[in-house]
Amino acid sequence: MWYQVFKVGLFGPGVRALWRPWVVGEENLPREGGAVVACNHISVLDPIIVAAMLDRQMTYPAKKELFQGDHGLWSKIVAWFLKAVDQVPLDRSGGKRSVEGMAPVLTRLGEGGLIGIFPEGTRSADGKLYKGKTGVARMALHADVPVVPVALIGTEPVKGRFGIPTVRHPGVIIGEPLHFSELAGRQDEVAVLRWVTNEVMDAIQRLGGQQYVDVYGFRVKYGNLKGKDLSRWRRPRPGGTPAPAPRETDRAGEQR
C-alpha cells in the first residue's frame, strides 16, 4: 500500500511535473513475471526516476544495515521507509554470506517481482560506463529470469533558476529483455557470470551510447585510479567474447 501511496501520490507526479522525463521502449518491459531491470548509474536520482516512470512496482535491494535503524532518528526513518515501500535487504559483506544474503531478492523474483539493480555498483564519476559487477548475472541465472537493460540519459542534476539543482528532461530507454535460460543454474561459474554481466552492460551501452571503460567505477572514484588517465582501459564495448560452452554430459545425461 505505501509503495503506491508514495508513487502515485508523491514521487510519480513530482517527477513528471518537475523534470518532464521521457520514456522509450515501454513495450519491452514484461507485463508480468520476475525480471531484473539493470541500469547504468549516473545520478543519485536514478532509482527514483526509474521507479516513477515504470508501470510495475520496483524493488531495489538495499544493504541490510539500512533496515536496522539503530543509528539515530534519520536511520530509523530510512529503515521505516524501506520496509514500508516493500524493499528487500541485501548482505554485501562478501563471500558465502553475501550469496546466502541474496535469498530475499531471489524470493521476490520467484514471486514474479521486478528487481532493480545498478551493476556498476556506484555512480559514474564522469558519465562513462564502467565494468559491471556480477551480482546481476547471479540473480538472473539463479532465478532463471530475463534481464531488462535500461539506459538513463541526462539524470544528472544541473544548476537551475536561483542556483537550485534540478534535472532537465531526463530519459529512460528500455531495451528488449535478455534471456539466459540456457545458462540457468551455472551461477557458480566465474566465466559464465562475467560473460552474462558483459552482455548486460553491452546492451546498456548500445542503448545509451556511453563510452565504456573496462575497470570498476569504484576504483576511479575512490581507489588507485582516481584522477588517472583511463585511456588504456577504454574499450569499444564490454565483453565481446564467445558464449560459454555448454556443460559436458555423460551418457546418463548427468552433469560431470
Side-chain angles (χ1 to χ4, degrees):
M1 180 188 71
W2 279 110
Y3 185 96
Q4 293 302 321
V5 168
F6 279 107
K7 177 175 180 175
V8 178
L10 181 61
F11 291 116
V15 166
R16 288 179 172 85
L18 291 173
W19 303 328
R20 291 179 291 164
W22 49 272
V23 181
V24 172
E26 292 177 277
E27 69 281 0
N28 291 323
L29 186 71
R31 296 296 94 188
E32 58 184 17
V36 178
V37 176
C39 315
N40 60 325
H41 202 4
I42 53 180
S43 168
V44 68
L45 300 173
D46 292 342
I48 296 175
I49 292 174
V50 172
M53 300 311 297
L54 298 189
D55 290 337
R56 294 182 58 185
Q57 179 169 330
M58 291 288 299
T59 298
Y60 293 109
K63 58 183 181 180
K64 68 175 185 177
E65 292 79 8
L66 294 176
F67 288 79
Q68 296 169 358
D70 52 3
H71 296 289
L73 178 60
W74 178 246
S75 70
K76 294 183 187 301
I77 294 173
V78 171
W80 173 84
F81 177 78
L82 291 173
K83 295 173 184 177
V85 297
D86 200 27
Q87 304 304 287
V88 294
L90 182 66
D91 191 327
R92 302 196 303 181
S93 56
K96 183 179 179 181
R97 187 174 299 174
S98 286
V99 175
E100 295 172 348
M102 197 178 291
V105 175
L106 298 177
T107 297
R108 186 58 51 85
L109 288 170
E111 294 170 345
L114 282 186
I115 293 291
I117 188 171
F118 299 90
E120 291 168 276
T122 187
R123 296 189 301 277
S124 173
D126 53 13
K128 296 180 178 63
L129 185 69
Y130 288 94
K131 187 174 182 178
K133 296 188 175 182
T134 58
V136 59
R138 193 179 299 277
M139 292 178 189
L141 298 182
H142 203 299
D144 192 13
V145 296
V147 179
V148 181
V150 171
L152 298 168
I153 309 290
T155 61
E156 309 96 321
V158 296
K159 284 187 177 181
R161 187 175 299 179
F162 308 117
I164 300 174
T166 186
V167 178
R168 294 173 181 161
H169 311 305
V172 180
I173 305 175
I174 306 170
E176 296 182 1
L178 305 175
H179 298 272
F180 302 103
S181 293
E182 71 280 2
L183 298 172
R186 298 177 66 178
Q187 63 273 3
D188 295 327
E189 299 179 39
V190 174
V192 171
L193 291 176
R194 174 46 54 195
W195 184 83
V196 170
T197 302
N198 285 343
E199 290 297 296
V200 171
M201 300 307 292
D202 177 60
I204 294 172
Q205 186 203 26
R206 284 188 281 110
L207 291 172
Q210 289 173 280
Q211 184 179 83
Y212 178 67
V213 182
D214 196 35
V215 296
Y216 293 116
F218 188 86
R219 293 177 62 190
V220 177
K221 287 179 69 174
Y222 308 110
N224 63 331
L225 294 179
K226 184 176 181 179
K228 300 294 181 65
D229 180 9
L230 302 176
S231 57
R232 61 177 290 194
W233 288 284
R234 292 174 186 163
R235 301 287 185 272
R237 56 153 288 180
T241 58
R247 282 176 170 172
E248 294 184 0
T249 57
D250 57 23
R251 293 181 181 178
E254 296 179 350
Q255 294 173 350
R256 292 177 179 175

